[in-house]
Amino acid sequence: MWLASPALPIGGFSYSEGLEAAISSGWVQGEADAARWLVQQLQLTQARGDMAAIAQALPAWNAGDRPRIAALNAWVRETRESSELRLQTEQMGRSLIAWLRNQHADHAARLDAIEWLATQDASYPLAFALAAHFSGASARPALLAYAFGWAENMVQAAIKAVPLGQSAGQRILAQLATHIPAAVDHALALPDAQRQAFSPMLAILSAQHENQYSRLFRS
């Protein structure tokens, strides 16, 4: 639950993951558009990509399989299709690593794992998987927490950028919540060969956002 909190000091609130560019380009113009956009992003990018990587990283952390962790971390970093999305996963990964150092300062074995992941230029999904591993949570609850934390941050981005009222934001969050369990189950079922990061319109919008005239968010 703590890891899912938007108040966690990792900077998630400063990113819209292409949503701001979609608003500027006219793809998202109101509550219904924002809800549809975020549900599709959950299903087509999060469930098939980052959430699938977390699902596979959790048993690797449990087994102490560092080569597997390094390979998954490299995959996440290599599948960022714009400089903004790459910088986001790097910054949030570093910030979560710093938070973990503070939380586990008196635990030598955990600090060793944290410092090792830092040397891999930790992506956010792999840092989250390590934090979830330390919590003792099993894979499905960990992914439910991750997905809901992502949804809350993205809804807040929509409220600010569309803009929308708080009630509209809660209705969008309710829609996302109904889709999260299926997205989690999909992520848990994906083998390596089906994990993917293919969302060309999101990549194009993210690249356009880098040069957008007026921006509230870093991605």
Side-chain angles (χ1 to χ4, degrees):
M1 293 288 288
W2 196 355
L3 293 174
S5 171
L8 202 68
I10 57 174
F13 63 88
S14 61
Y15 300 99
S16 81
E17 299 184 18
L19 177 61
E20 186 173 32
I23 293 165
S24 179
S25 299
W27 288 86
V28 175
Q29 298 183 345
E31 178 183 342
D33 289 343
R36 182 165 52 250
W37 181 273
L38 293 178
V39 167
Q40 290 179 356
Q41 193 166 351
L42 170 69
Q43 295 170 335
L44 300 177
T45 67
Q46 287 293 324
R48 300 189 304 179
D50 288 1
M51 288 167 60
I54 293 169
Q56 294 170 4
L58 281 166
W61 279 121
N62 293 338
D65 188 348
R66 290 188 177 183
R68 173 68 163 158
I69 293 297
L72 287 166
N73 188 62
W75 182 87
V76 171
R77 289 169 51 82
E78 290 162 4
T79 54
R80 303 304 90 164
E81 294 186 290
S82 72
S83 63
E84 285 190 346
L85 295 177
R86 176 71 171 265
L87 289 170
Q88 176 181 346
T89 201
E90 291 173 342
Q91 180 270 302
M92 292 180 66
R94 284 193 304 271
S95 296
L96 187 51
I97 286 288
W99 184 83
L100 286 170
R101 285 191 185 109
N102 182 63
Q103 295 298 310
H104 302 286
D106 58 350
H107 197 301
R110 290 183 176 184
L111 278 177
D112 179 69
I114 293 165
E115 296 304 335
W116 174 81
L117 185 59
T119 67
Q120 305 297 308
D121 294 324
S123 65
Y124 174 58
L126 271 293
F128 183 93
L130 178 58
H133 164 66
F134 288 159
S135 79
S138 59
R140 195 169 191 274
L143 280 170
L144 287 169
Y146 172 88
F148 192 76
W150 171 85
E152 281 198 298
N153 274 323
M154 295 303 295
V155 167
Q156 286 302 311
I159 287 171
K160 295 172 186 174
V162 173
L164 300 170
Q166 293 293 332
S167 293
Q170 289 298 299
R171 288 192 292 269
I172 294 172
L173 190 60
Q175 288 189 54
L176 284 165
T178 65
H179 291 277
I180 283 173
V184 166
D185 291 339
H186 183 67
L188 287 166
L190 286 180
D192 278 5
Q194 293 181 28
R195 190 178 65 244
Q196 60 178 287
F198 181 69
S199 47
M201 181 55 70
L202 182 62
I204 290 168
L205 287 169
S206 179
Q208 291 174 343
H209 187 262
E210 294 171 10
N211 299 301
Q212 190 169 308
Y213 172 69
S214 177
R215 300 185 301 177
L216 294 173
F217 298 96
R218 297 177 65 184
S219 74

